[in-house]
Amino acid sequence: MKKKTRILSFLLATVMASGLLAGCSSDGGDKDSGKEDGGKKDSIVIATMGETPSLSPTEHNAVAGSYMNILTYNTLFKTSMDLEPVPDLVDSYENVDDSTWHFKLKEGVKFHNGDTMTADDVVASLQWAQGFAEVNLYNKNFISISKVDDLTVEIKTDGPDAMVLSNLTSHGNAVVPKKLIDEGHDFNADPIGTGPYKLVEWKRGDSLEFEAFEDYFEGAPSIKHMTWKIIPEGSSRTIALEAGEIDFIIEVEAMDADRLKENSDLSVIEYNATNLTWLMLNNEVPGLDNQDVRHAINTAIDKESVVTVAYNGMATPALSQMPMNFEGATEENADTYDVEKAKEWLEKSGVDPASVQFSIICSDDTKKRAGEVIQANLKEIGINCEIESMDLATYLSATAEGDFTAAIGGYSSDSLLSYVVGVYHSSSINASNKTRLNNPEVDALIDKAKITVDAAERKPIMEELSALLNEICSQAPIYQPISMRAFDARLQGVEITDGGTIFWQYVSWGE
């Protein structure tokens, strides 16, 4: 894993009293509004590109949704800064035998409704989550979930399973009150969990407002009021941060990165994201179901140009079907940019390039810029395609259901094993396997890796899988972004995993 690069700039030592840009907090005041009695600011406004499809932990498999879920829910385990699963609601645990795990829960954890969490809630939550196609890839390996005592849960798997702990970090396995599950509670409208924040209001298409949960088991968060603004346009997010209308940008517009870094009132953190962006190709569509056609498309794309145009150079051109900052990923059998080779792939396919016509769905400006470069590249080999803009929620629904030909998208995970299960295993079709790849050899290698608990023994299996996926070429890897977060430099405790996770309960304002 590459080491994070943190680029931090600091506030000017002297602040002009009346010459500052007028900043806004969630209540529309200036930069001094939203303060506690002691004078320390206690509110924050965060800008994000896309709106969550759901506030329920089980009804989506979207990054935008996970940003919200981590505020209101907890899971048995969470991901550490080193991308390792570590206890969250669990006090201690034991791998009793190859297929049995015991988890001792933390005592006295409160839900937002005032109830105290017990093993009954955990058992009910995990069993409930198994009924949702969007997230059951993270829990279908649990063949038995039962209560040992009021604070102990037993999970059984069908033999050795290397994914148990990492799966328990998934938002889909969030713990909610059993009583509410039994009552048919709508967790999308009212997300009751144990998390550090409670929902106040969701204004669809505009914003989500949260307040600190004072009975949070780790202690009440320092920031008491939190507003997430939905701002799809990257430049608008940048301008809002510079003007003090927001305090934090989740998705930094790459074209604005340099000027944000030069602003002494702001801090910028860069990190090597585990997200890989591809041109997703629906392998069930005639033409795109031909492996040689997919190789032709992949080989025809000038990924260096895509990175320059779409990401202002703030990304690494991708060749492998796996993120290269995971051990086990390889570029063996991967295509490189070669227009003449692309034409040879098309000739070998026996498919008339004029018959391979499709639309590339793009859900934001960065993807649209990438799509325009790809469109021009493919025209050189006789393939015509259109660019189609679509809001994130519609895009997620269409691609999950297979109602598309091509789209620019990505996937992020905290472990390579979870990544390949989500993106390439046939069990994830109609969820996160957007290309709808259904290959028995791929499934067999993934299944073999899942039962290989020892990481050293699992690595050659993953390398074999990586080479096979490069050969199949179910989609065209484009780039692996160097992700950024930009924020008011007075914020303290901001840490981001390579998976993009921020634990907001540890963030506070400086004096």
Side-chain angles (χ1 to χ4, degrees):
M1 187 186 308
K2 296 180 182 177
K3 186 177 180 181
K4 290 184 181 65
T5 303
R6 301 186 182 272
I7 303 175
L8 301 176
S9 55
F10 298 92
L11 283 170
L12 292 172
T14 304
V15 180
M16 295 180 290
S18 59
L20 290 177
L21 292 170
C24 296
S25 67
S26 58
D27 60 4
D30 61 24
K31 280 205 172 187
D32 291 329
S33 66
K35 289 184 176 181
E36 298 172 334
D37 293 340
K40 189 175 180 181
K41 187 173 179 180
D42 68 347
S43 65
I44 188 171
V45 182
I46 302 160
T48 189
M49 174 181 67
E51 187 169 31
T52 177
S54 176
L55 289 176
S56 168
T58 57
E59 296 177 5
H60 72 89
N61 195 16
V63 172
S66 68
Y67 293 152
M68 301 298 102
N69 291 159
I70 201 170
L71 300 174
T72 55
Y73 305 104
N74 288 96
T75 46
L76 293 184
F77 282 72
K78 62 184 179 182
T79 303
S80 73
M81 296 305 298
D82 296 324
L83 300 184
E84 295 294 333
V86 295
D88 190 8
L89 292 175
V90 166
D91 189 52
S92 61
Y93 64 100
E94 179 185 8
N95 190 189
V96 179
D97 56 44
D98 283 348
S99 60
T100 306
W101 295 76
H102 283 179
F103 300 95
K104 185 76 170 180
L105 306 176
K106 289 180 178 175
E107 190 171 359
V109 175
K110 294 287 187 181
F111 288 109
H112 298 157
N113 65 353
D115 291 350
T116 301
M117 182 192 72
T118 70
D120 289 325
D121 300 302
V122 175
V123 171
S125 297
L126 297 180
Q127 291 175 341
W128 175 62
Q130 288 181 315
F132 292 85
E134 295 89 345
V135 298
N136 67 13
L137 71 157
Y138 302 110
N139 49 50
K140 64 174 60 176
N141 55 330
F142 304 155
I143 63 171
S144 172
I145 307 162
S146 60
K147 169 184 173 180
V148 176
D149 57 46
D150 284 347
L151 286 174
T152 308
V153 173
E154 178 179 275
I155 294 178
K156 284 184 174 290
T157 58
D158 186 12
D161 195 318
M163 298 186 67
V164 170
L165 300 185
S166 61
N167 279 350
L168 289 173
T169 69
S170 166
H171 61 80
N173 292 321
V175 177
V176 300
K178 178 182 185 298
K179 178 176 71 175
L180 296 186
I181 295 174
D182 294 341
E183 294 172 355
H185 183 79
D186 185 351
F187 288 93
N188 179 45
D190 186 20
I192 301 295
T194 63
Y197 287 90
K198 299 187 295 183
L199 177 70
V200 174
E201 184 179 18
W202 182 5
K203 296 178 181 177
R204 299 298 200 281
D206 178 71
S207 62
L208 298 98
E209 185 180 350
F210 300 86
E211 65 181 7
F213 179 35
E214 293 302 316
D215 290 328
Y216 183 56
F217 68 92
E218 289 187 331
S222 173
I223 293 177
K224 302 302 181 184
H225 308 282
M226 176 180 288
T227 301
W228 288 66
K229 295 287 293 180
I230 313 301
I231 306 178
E233 299 80 17
S235 59
S236 296
R237 294 192 296 273
T238 299
I239 292 169
L241 180 64
E242 291 173 327
E245 296 171 2
I246 63 172
D247 304 304
F248 200 107
I249 297 177
I250 295 295
E251 304 91 355
V252 174
E253 168 57 58
M255 300 302 174
D256 298 336
D258 289 341
R259 90 179 201 222
L260 289 172
K261 293 175 188 177
E262 293 168 0
N263 188 327
S264 59
D265 286 339
L266 305 176
S267 292
V268 177
I269 289 180
E270 293 182 353
Y271 62 98
N272 296 304
T274 58
N275 178 43
L276 177 59
T277 298
W278 334 274
L279 173 65
M280 300 187 301
L281 303 170
N282 188 334
N283 288 194
E284 295 178 346
V285 172
L288 299 181
D289 61 354
N290 186 303
Q291 181 172 305
D292 294 334
V293 170
R294 298 195 299 269
H295 274 294
I297 291 170
N298 191 25
T299 307
I301 299 174
D302 182 357
K303 296 166 187 180
E304 293 278 0
S305 293
V306 174
V307 165
T308 299
V309 173
Y311 244 86
N312 195 28
M314 298 295 293
T316 303
L319 301 180
S320 174
Q321 299 281 333
M322 295 182 183
M324 288 302 293
N325 51 343
F326 283 127
E327 193 172 43
T330 177
E331 293 180 347
E332 182 182 350
N333 298 331
D335 296 319
T336 56
Y337 174 54
D338 187 331
V339 176
E340 294 308 312
K341 180 66 175 176
K343 293 176 181 177
E344 290 176 13
W345 278 116
L346 270 179
E347 184 176 354
K348 180 183 176 185
S349 75
V351 175
D352 180 1
S355 70
V356 186
Q357 298 185 12
F358 55 87
S359 175
I360 302 176
I361 298 174
C362 303
S363 61
D364 61 55
D365 292 340
T366 301
K367 293 175 183 177
K368 187 177 179 182
R369 291 194 298 267
E372 289 167 350
V373 175
I374 293 170
Q375 181 184 43
N377 289 159
L378 296 184
K379 193 170 184 179
E380 291 186 43
I381 61 171
I383 294 178
N384 293 308
C385 58
E386 301 298 325
I387 306 296
E388 180 181 0
S389 294
M390 189 176 288
D391 68 86
L392 181 63
T394 308
Y395 156 89
L396 290 170
S397 176
T399 54
E401 295 168 4
D403 185 21
F404 77 107
T405 50
I408 294 178
Y411 191 83
S412 181
S413 179
D414 293 332
S415 79
L416 184 56
L417 193 49
S418 294
Y419 184 93
V420 296
V421 170
V423 177
Y424 297 113
H425 200 282
S426 63
S427 64
S428 299
I429 291 174
N430 293 325
S432 51
N433 180 347
K434 309 285 188 166
T435 67
R436 309 182 76 80
L437 175 67
N438 190 345
N439 184 288
E441 190 176 354
V442 168
D443 284 357
L445 281 171
I446 295 175
D447 292 341
K448 182 179 179 181
K450 285 167 62 178
I451 63 172
T452 306
V453 178
D454 185 88
E457 294 179 10
R458 191 166 61 245
K459 180 182 175 184
I461 301 171
M462 300 301 282
E463 290 174 341
E464 182 182 355
L465 172 64
S466 184
L468 175 61
L469 289 169
N470 292 339
E471 180 182 342
I472 293 170
C473 192
S474 63
Q475 54 195 341
I478 307 174
Y479 53 78
Q480 202 168 334
I482 300 170
S483 291
M484 290 173 283
R485 302 285 191 263
F487 49 94
D488 188 310
R490 293 174 295 174
L491 282 169
Q492 299 175 346
V494 179
E495 290 192 302
I496 307 162
T497 72
D498 281 356
T501 299
I502 301 173
F503 296 103
W504 291 98
Q505 63 267 36
Y506 307 135
V507 177
S508 62
W509 287 100
E511 297 296 341

